[in-house]
Amino acid sequence: MASRLNPYLSFNGDARQAMEFYKEVFGGTLSLNSYGDFGQADAANADKIMHGMLETTGGFTLMGADNPPGMETEQGSSYSVSLSGDDAAELRGYWEKLSDGGSVSVPLEKQMWGDVFGMCTDRFGVPWMVNISSES
C-alpha cells in the first residue's frame, strides 16, 4: 500500500453522524468501529467511534473519531480540508452538500488567480476549501 495523506477529524461525540454525512456527500465505503468494538463494551463511550474511515471511488480517504472522555476538541480549530481538481460538476456537487446547513465565508466563484474557489464550514464545524482549476 502506498503512503497517503488524508485528514483525520476529531469529534466530541458526533463522529458517527459526521462520518455518515460525509458518506452521503462523497459516496464510498464507510467503516466505523466503536470503543465497544475494541473491548470497552461497558464504558460510557462504548457506542462512540474509536476509528472511522471513509474510502471513496474517487480516491478520497477521510478518517475520524470521537475523542476519549476528558479530551475535548474545539470545532473548526486550526485546519481546513481542501478539495481541488478540474471536474467542475463533481466539485460543485460536493460544495452544495458541504455548505448546506453550514456557513459560507467565501462564495464559490471565480477568483483573481483564474480558478473557481470557495470556503465554507459544514454543519459539524469543519472548514472546507474547494478549488476548481480553470481550463488552460
Side-chain angles (χ1 to χ4, degrees), residues 34-106:
S34 69
Y35 284 92
D37 294 335
F38 287 100
Q40 298 179 19
D42 298 328
N45 63 338
D47 63 335
K48 300 300 179 194
I49 302 303
M50 184 174 189
H51 178 72
M53 184 167 70
L54 175 64
E55 292 183 293
T56 73
T57 56
F60 300 154
T61 299
L62 182 64
M63 296 180 187
D66 287 311
N67 284 325
M71 292 182 64
E72 296 297 318
T73 295
E74 184 175 330
Q75 284 188 336
S77 60
S78 70
Y79 69 92
S80 292
V81 182
S82 175
L83 289 172
S84 58
D86 59 6
D87 188 330
E90 179 179 66
L91 291 165
R92 285 182 186 280
Y94 295 151
W95 170 265
E96 292 301 322
K97 292 176 183 177
L98 289 167
S99 61
D100 184 31
S103 63
V104 174
S105 55
V106 176

